[in-house]
Amino acid sequence: MALTSTTITSWKLQEIVAHSSNVSSLVLGKSSGRLLATGGEDCRVNIWAVSKPNCIMSLTGHTSPVESIQFNSSEERVVAGSQSGSLRLWDLEAAKILRTLMGHKASICSLDFHPMGEYLASGSVDSSIKLWDVRRKGCVFRYKGHTQAVCCLAFSPDGKWLASASDDSTVKLWDLIAGKMITEFTSHTSAVNVVQFHPNEYLLASGSADRTVKLWDLEKFNMIGSSEGETGVVRSILFNPDGSCLYSGSENTLRVFGWEPDRCFDVLHVGWGKVSDLAISNNQMIAVSYSQNNVSWYVVDLNQVKKSGSVIQGLIEDKPIPAPTSAMGATLRRNYERPTTSYTRQEMKQSSEADRRSPEGERRSPSSEDEKEDRESSAEITNPEDYKEIFQPHSVISRTPPKRTEPFPAPLEHSFSESVLEKPGPAVKIVTPVIDRAGQLKGLITSSTPVQRVEPTVIAAAPRPVAVVTTSVTSPSRPVVTTTKPKPSTGIILSTRNEPVGLIAGDFLSHARNAKAGVMGDDEALAQIRKGHDTMCVMLTSRYKNLDTVRFVWASGDVKTSLDSAVSMNDLSIVVDILNIINLKPSLWKLDLCTSILPQIEELLQSKYESYVQTGCMSLKLILKRFWPLISDTLTAPPSVGVDITREERHQKCKACYKQLKNLSNVVKNRAEQVGRHGSTFKELQLLMALLDY
């Protein structure tokens, strides 16, 4: 059997459930590219090691959703801004809260640490920017000028300037020493999402919702370049560490730009959705994106990305392009002079003296209220081993996240001349077949790599179909192998299974290679088995109470009110329990129920649990069969003469149902491409929903 392998350029590293509710913000540690902080609507900040499935540390204290997060340059501290306008700063090595800073009147949507001092800047929805001295727990300056939310903040490498990007379509540059605005760039035509300084030269880049990336000369204060051809909103930008090119991340696309003259060196389709942050480590780009409560990591091998040379054909007119000047060599533009830390701090201290009399410039002494807030904040270490490895090194020299880290191994794209790759659901494990000497498939092998959700690739071949799943993407170099038994849809947790999800028997057994370490004791084994038991009890108790509440409302005979109460609990398991009852008795279905339940069905159809998907499909099928004729007739009927309140109410409900069904049709269409019983169920739904287009 012939086996060929092709190196791929980008791939999905891992997907995790980061919070118990929706993720609202995240940031990568730029120094190492190996740390991630996520903020959620559950008011927590979780710290992760890239490619590892378990949270290292969970930081609590905020009482409203976390809207913005930032690491300092050494990745020893993290600051988080909340929807209520408060800032909390944690020391990750000491695992404790350092400061709670209050002052903004609205949600904080941007943060940045000063590169050399104990200062940080925050931007808010209230259009203000504040500079904080974290040692004295006070605001030392307030910058006014923007008219809408401040989306991004960035300090210059020398620590003298601050750049701000706003929803008002402007980029402003502030002098920290003089305490005033230097200039304003107004060429963008829509909200500016991100700004970044060149690592060496006096250059500033900005990315906007107008689908352009612009570069600004910080000596002459004019625009020297503007990209064209972005397929969507520019969400992230990043200069190459040597400053030779600029990376731009938009929806599912990575572009590589040069300037003077403008040119696009390379375009890659990565499939990362709405990318939120980028970092570079070991000549690999690490990217993160999030959707609902899930966070996904992606890797791009920059060794295979064009960073110089000719432009991409068709994007820019073909012109003779002079050789670009190396960012590391002599340039015509000034380079930043990085002063010592003490010198910068002293200058900023002096600049803030004049502002101490203003309300914004006053430094507050710690109050009992602040101390109470600090006591209520905590750092829960959820993964002691990774925490000790990363934040409590044995020596400073071997500090982790390490300065020298191994690049992430790239999977190989396999082709089998006598096999067919069966296309599964969206969330799958990477598996590889084991072939015996006779050429027959013995089984599938899984590695210890955490369960990863990857997009499938279909490899068509000859007679004997063999189910094999590999990563879809433009991706790289060694296979990440994970073992599992062949199942109809490996991305979905089956409703009937012979083993618990997430429990590995090998975790409780001693391994031969670790025989010297000794056998696990009874107490330790019991502790492992009981891990998570308390959480499960709390969850089941909560579910029981919620169902009891719904049952009480149901007893009054009002099915609509009982269903609404189930929906308001924000627990899909309760909704599924109620739908399973209603589905058994179709006569209970009314048009009122449809308007309440259709948005929930959209979540059920995209769930990883097979039972949820089945319930959602059954409910949607009943709605289409029973109510589509009524919805269609009502919406196409001519207007009535006179006032008919009942008819108007029915028309509004039908209109709302139609809009929700159209949204669901896209979900059904995507899932209908699956193979297996789930695919056939969604194909049936797709046929029923074809009537929506007529």
Side-chain angles (χ1 to χ4, degrees):
M1 181 178 293
L3 174 67
T4 61
S5 63
T6 305
T7 304
I8 46 184
T9 306
S10 63
W11 64 100
K12 189 174 187 177
L13 185 65
Q14 189 180 15
E15 182 171 350
I16 58 170
V17 177
H19 289 267
S20 58
S21 57
N22 289 342
V23 176
S24 49
S25 57
L26 53 74
V27 68
L28 282 165
K30 300 300 186 294
S31 299
S32 67
R34 292 297 192 265
L35 270 186
L36 173 74
T38 61
E41 292 180 1
D42 57 5
C43 309
R44 285 177 173 263
V45 175
N46 290 338
I47 308 298
W48 308 80
V50 174
S51 86
K52 295 193 176 182
N54 298 319
C55 173
I56 301 173
M57 191 185 304
S58 186
L59 311 174
T60 62
H62 279 298
T63 56
S64 59
V66 178
E67 297 293 332
S68 183
I69 318 178
Q70 190 60 259
F71 286 108
N72 70 343
S73 57
S74 63
E75 297 176 8
E76 297 168 353
R77 295 180 178 181
V78 68
V79 63
S82 73
Q83 201 174 77
S84 64
S86 66
L87 289 166
R88 277 177 168 79
L89 176 68
W90 286 273
D91 185 323
L92 298 178
E93 289 195 341
K96 68 176 184 179
I97 183 79
L98 284 181
R99 291 286 184 269
T100 298
L101 305 171
M102 311 292 286
H104 283 290
K105 298 175 183 178
S107 176
I108 294 172
C109 44
S110 54
L111 292 164
D112 197 28
F113 276 95
H114 190 272
M116 284 155 267
E118 295 287 332
Y119 297 90
L120 63 88
S122 59
S124 171
V125 171
D126 63 14
S127 77
S128 69
I129 301 169
K130 292 195 174 188
L131 183 67
W132 305 85
D133 184 338
V134 298
R135 296 166 301 178
R136 290 170 173 77
K137 213 173 185 183
C139 172
V140 296
F141 212 93
R142 180 179 180 182
Y143 302 93
K144 297 179 181 179
H146 286 294
T147 58
Q148 295 184 41
V150 181
C151 302
C152 184
L153 293 170
F155 284 103
S156 61
D158 61 4
K160 294 181 179 179
W161 292 346
L162 175 68
S164 60
S166 171
D167 279 346
D168 61 14
S169 308
T170 66
V171 176
K172 296 183 188 294
L173 195 64
W174 310 87
D175 188 322
L176 297 178
I177 309 302
K180 64 181 181 180
M181 186 176 75
I182 302 172
T183 189
E184 178 182 36
F185 302 117
T186 58
S187 298
H188 283 293
T189 58
S190 189
V192 186
N193 296 323
V194 59
V195 286
Q196 193 186 36
F197 285 92
H198 190 282
N200 305 307
E201 301 177 23
Y202 271 45
L203 272 180
L204 179 71
S206 58
S208 169
D210 63 10
R211 303 187 179 189
T212 66
V213 175
K214 299 186 186 297
L215 285 110
W216 315 91
D217 187 311
L218 299 184
E219 291 183 283
K220 300 176 181 177
F221 300 118
N222 61 349
M223 185 174 73
I224 63 165
S226 180
S227 74
E228 302 295 340
E230 290 285 357
T231 55
V233 173
V234 180
R235 300 181 182 278
S236 298
I237 56 175
L238 184 66
F239 280 102
N240 202 58
D242 64 4
S244 59
C245 63
L246 176 69
Y247 302 102
S248 164
S250 55
E251 188 161 356
N252 293 321
T253 306
L254 174 69
R255 292 175 184 267
V256 189
F257 291 109
W259 55 92
E260 294 179 323
D262 296 345
R263 52 201 186 277
C264 180
F265 296 129
D266 209 346
V267 179
L268 285 83
H269 180 81
V270 183
W272 51 32
K274 297 178 180 178
V275 63
S276 298
D277 201 13
L278 306 172
I280 292 176
S281 175
N282 293 307
N283 213 25
Q284 289 182 332
M285 176 175 286
I286 315 300
V288 283
S289 62
Y290 64 90
S291 176
Q292 297 180 343
N293 61 346
N294 294 331
V295 170
S296 301
W297 283 293
Y298 294 82
V299 179
V300 179
D301 184 359
L302 297 182
N303 292 313
Q304 302 185 57
V305 175
K306 287 182 63 178
K307 297 186 279 290
S308 62
S310 58
V311 300
I312 300 295
Q313 296 295 324
L315 288 179
I316 301 175
E317 291 182 14
D318 295 331
K319 298 177 183 177
I321 295 178
T325 306
S326 170
M328 303 303 289
T331 61
L332 298 177
R333 193 170 285 107
R334 281 178 62 191
N335 282 4
Y336 296 107
E337 296 177 2
R338 292 172 170 81
T340 61
T341 303
S342 59
Y343 175 71
T344 303
R345 286 181 181 172
Q346 185 62 32
E347 281 190 322
M348 293 183 70
K349 285 181 195 175
Q350 292 171 357
S351 72
S352 64
E353 288 293 330
D355 302 294
R356 293 189 183 181
R357 297 188 184 92
S358 67
E360 293 82 9
E362 291 178 358
R363 290 196 178 96
R364 300 184 298 118
S365 60
S367 65
S368 59
E369 184 180 344
D370 295 331
E371 292 171 359
K372 180 182 176 182
E373 287 175 348
D374 287 353
R375 285 196 302 270
E376 291 174 353
S377 302
S378 66
E380 302 169 8
I381 300 172
T382 56
N383 192 333
E385 292 181 3
D386 285 344
Y387 168 73
K388 289 178 182 177
E389 179 186 352
I390 294 175
F391 296 114
Q392 290 188 334
H394 297 294
S395 66
V396 176
I397 296 175
S398 62
R399 162 167 172 72
T400 312
K403 301 302 179 186
R404 296 175 60 85
T405 54
E406 292 297 322
F408 292 112
L412 284 179
E413 211 171 50
H414 292 288
S415 301
F416 294 92
S417 60
E418 298 178 14
S419 69
V420 176
L421 180 63
E422 186 176 345
K423 189 173 184 179
V428 295
K429 293 181 181 178
I430 306 172
V431 294
T432 192
V434 178
I435 312 296
D436 63 14
R437 295 179 182 177
Q440 301 296 319
L441 180 70
K442 291 177 65 179
L444 301 173
I445 297 209
T446 313
S447 78
S448 59
T449 306
V451 175
Q452 302 176 357
R453 299 180 185 175
V454 290
E455 295 297 324
T457 300
V458 176
I459 304 175
R464 301 174 67 92
V466 177
V468 180
V469 182
T470 62
T471 52
S472 80
V473 242
T474 50
S475 311
S477 89
R478 274 194 337 254
V480 179
V481 186
T482 61
T483 102
T484 184
K485 298 178 182 178
K487 294 181 181 178
S489 179
T490 52
I492 292 180
I493 297 176
L494 301 180
S495 55
T496 55
R497 52 188 183 273
N498 297 322
E499 57 187 19
V501 175
L503 183 65
I504 303 172
D507 290 346
F508 307 104
L509 303 176
S510 58
H511 300 278
R513 70 180 71 177
N514 297 328
K516 295 180 181 179
V519 181
M520 182 185 294
D522 291 344
D523 292 341
E524 193 176 351
L526 284 172
Q528 287 283 350
I529 295 171
R530 295 189 59 177
K531 185 185 292 184
H533 173 72
D534 292 339
T535 304
M536 177 62 73
C537 288
V538 170
M539 185 198 72
L540 291 176
T541 302
S542 173
R543 185 171 178 180
Y544 174 81
K545 289 180 179 178
N546 289 339
L547 283 172
D548 197 47
T549 302
V550 175
R551 183 193 61 80
F552 179 81
V553 180
W554 183 285
S556 67
D558 191 345
V559 178
K560 171 71 164 58
T561 305
S562 61
L563 186 59
D564 286 343
S565 66
V567 170
S568 67
M569 292 171 182
N570 291 322
D571 186 347
L572 278 182
S573 64
I574 305 297
V575 175
V576 169
D577 290 338
I578 304 303
L579 283 178
N580 284 336
I581 296 171
I582 301 176
N583 287 344
L584 294 175
K585 196 170 183 181
S587 61
L588 292 175
W589 280 94
K590 307 293 180 186
L591 191 60
D592 284 339
L593 290 184
C594 299
T595 57
S596 299
I597 206 59
L598 281 171
Q600 303 301 312
I601 290 177
E602 184 172 358
E603 292 187 46
L604 294 177
L605 296 185
Q606 299 178 80
S607 172
K608 65 180 179 180
Y609 298 106
E610 183 186 42
S611 59
Y612 287 19
V613 176
Q614 289 173 342
T615 300
C617 288
M618 176 65 72
S619 300
L620 182 56
K621 195 182 298 184
L622 284 171
I623 290 172
L624 288 169
K625 288 182 177 180
R626 290 181 62 85
F627 295 102
W628 172 245
L630 172 63
I631 294 171
S632 178
D633 292 344
T634 302
L635 295 178
T636 56
S640 60
V641 179
V643 178
D644 187 343
I645 296 177
T646 304
R647 179 188 173 93
E648 283 298 318
E649 289 178 347
R650 184 167 62 249
H651 187 274
Q652 290 300 320
K653 292 173 185 176
C654 290
K655 189 175 180 180
C657 287
Y658 178 80
K659 185 178 180 180
Q660 292 164 349
L661 286 169
K662 286 291 288 182
N663 292 337
L664 277 169
S665 66
N666 295 325
V667 177
V668 170
K669 182 179 178 181
N670 293 334
R671 302 298 294 270
E673 297 174 1
Q674 297 179 11
V675 176
R677 67 169 181 242
H678 296 298
S680 61
T681 302
F682 280 108
K683 284 185 178 71
E684 182 182 351
L685 285 172
Q686 189 178 19
L687 291 174
L688 290 172
M689 301 187 82
L691 298 172
L692 297 174
D693 299 325
Y694 295 100

